[in-house]
Amino acid sequence: MVETTVDRRAASGLGAAAAGMLLIAATYGMARFGVGLFAPRIGAQRPELTDVLGWAGAAQFTSYSLAAVLAARLVDRRPRTGLLLAGATAITGCLGVAIAPTPALFVLAVFIGGMGGGFASPALVPVIDAVVAPRAGAAAQSVVNSGTAVGVIGAGVVASAAASVGAAWLFMALVCAAATAAAWWPVRAWGDLPAARPAATPPVRGPWRLLAVPAVAAVVAGAGSALIWTFGPLLITASGAVPAERVGRLWIALGLGGVLGVLTGALVRRAGTRGGWCWCAGALAVAGGGVGVSVAAGSAGAAYAGMALFGAGYMGLSGVLILWARQAWPGSAGAGTSVLFIALATGQALGSVGFGLARDLLDPAVLAALAAGLCTAGGLAALTGRR
């Protein structure tokens, strides 16, 4: 029996990690963050939706948090159910965005689509821990988390190639369906995951205080990151730094930078969890400054560099949260990841609304400076209580 379990872990680990990366790519890079990418085109093709883009950004961050709350109570026991919920909500959201005729239905579709990532990340943490050897667990989690970058690149390519917003989101719905099937397939026949607890054993939660510092830091840094996720391409194209028809290239640059997220495990091993967080938050702050320079000076180079650095910093930041949760609550890594990702999304929801309201009051360069300041503060918050 032990031999069978070991063999199954060795055989399924690589495939499950690759499939998990694809699911993260679809639910995050497309269904969730695709709204910010398509903001310029949505404004051009559906001008009646322009005024609700900030609220749509807040909606997807809020629904992400709601899904993560539900996932925290579910995925450590039933991760396969979490995978299916991730796919179902992402597919439904993409289809809704493709056909939404009114602002209210558009925001509702974005709300539903945002739930996909909230189910996907917490569900994949116990799946990967179960099928990957412990010594490779941190690296595998980083690979899965880098799927956001892959999805962002894919969304950028779709944005550049698709003739309309509707066609692009219909295609992304198909990608979400395929990725869900790929992630579910390696664990479809298992009653319990190899490394899972017996069904009668309740989840083991660590002390909440162990998550307090990363949660606060995630809220603050998340608020700063919301500017680029929700309004970055819109601000850059409106300034003339990058033509609107080339907006997909901005997202491709972000995704290419985000591929560096696979190195998060190595960064944490060398710098520690708090140190790794500070490095990643610092990268976000510098990226915000780069976007500010791009908007103020009309520099395409600064725009692409800022987006690439933002991708690297953000993928690393979210990867650190996964590893921090695994360290703090080793018996309930999925639930711990949910808590910290909820904190990150809460900050992003607040930032989306705040920056949306401030767009008409403040110069875009000032908004970028505020975002950079929040990311810096979020990085420093991780040092609170350090001994």
Side-chain angles (χ1 to χ4, degrees), residues 8 10 22 27 52 72 168 205 213 226 230 234 247 262 264 331-332 374:
R8 183 159 31 176
L22 292 177
T27 55
V52 299
R205 301 284 192 264
V213 169
T230 306
L234 192 61
V247 66
V262 299
T264 303
S332 297
L374 285 169

Side-chain angles (χ1 to χ4, degrees), residues 32-33 56-66 110-111 114 222 225-226 229-230 314 341-342 344-352:
R32 185 180 175 201
F33 293 133
Q60 59 100 339
F61 289 127
T62 301
S63 67
Y64 174 90
S65 298
L66 174 62
V110 173
F111 181 89
S225 73
W229 278 129
T230 306
Y314 187 86
F341 275 31
I342 288 168
L344 183 65
T346 298
Q348 290 170 323
L350 294 173
S352 290

Side-chain angles (χ1 to χ4, degrees), residues 43-156:
Q45 296 183 6
R46 302 179 186 177
E48 70 278 7
L49 302 181
T50 301
D51 291 339
V52 299
L53 287 174
W55 292 105
Q60 59 100 339
F61 289 127
T62 301
S63 67
Y64 174 90
S65 298
L66 174 62
V69 169
L70 297 175
R73 303 181 62 86
L74 171 72
V75 297
D76 282 312
R77 288 174 175 269
R78 302 180 185 276
R80 292 176 303 167
T81 301
L83 297 179
L84 294 176
L85 288 171
T89 50
I91 294 166
T92 302
C94 287
L95 291 175
V97 172
I99 63 176
T102 66
L105 291 178
F106 171 72
V107 173
L108 176 61
V110 173
F111 181 89
I112 295 172
M115 299 180 77
F119 286 117
S121 285
L124 286 168
V125 170
V127 167
I128 297 303
D129 281 346
V131 301
V132 175
R135 66 180 180 277
Q141 296 289 359
S142 297
V143 169
V144 171
N145 189 61
S146 70
T148 302
V150 176
V152 165
I153 293 172

Side-chain angles (χ1 to χ4, degrees), residues 262-298:
V262 299
L263 302 177
T264 303
L267 174 63
V268 169
R269 283 195 299 272
R270 292 183 65 87
T273 307
R274 295 177 191 246
W277 175 270
C278 289
W279 274 104
C280 294
L284 291 185
V286 176
V291 170
V293 170
S294 166
V295 171

Side-chain angles (χ1 to χ4, degrees), residues 1-20:
M1 184 68 177
V2 172
E3 182 67 26
T4 300
T5 297
V6 171
D7 291 344
R8 183 159 31 176
R9 287 168 67 107
S12 302
L14 180 60

Side-chain angles (χ1 to χ4, degrees), residues 130-197:
V131 301
V132 175
R135 66 180 180 277
Q141 296 289 359
S142 297
V143 169
V144 171
N145 189 61
S146 70
T148 302
V150 176
V152 165
I153 293 172
V157 172
V158 171
S160 299
S164 68
V165 170
W169 284 83
L170 284 174
F171 178 79
M172 291 194 291
L174 293 176
V175 173
C176 289
T180 302
W184 179 78
W185 188 258
V187 295
R188 67 195 183 283
W190 296 357
D192 289 316
L193 294 175
R197 291 175 295 279

Side-chain angles (χ1 to χ4, degrees), residues 15-34:
M21 181 182 68
L22 292 177
L23 184 62
I24 294 298
T27 55
Y28 278 81
M30 293 186 173
R32 185 180 175 201
F33 293 133

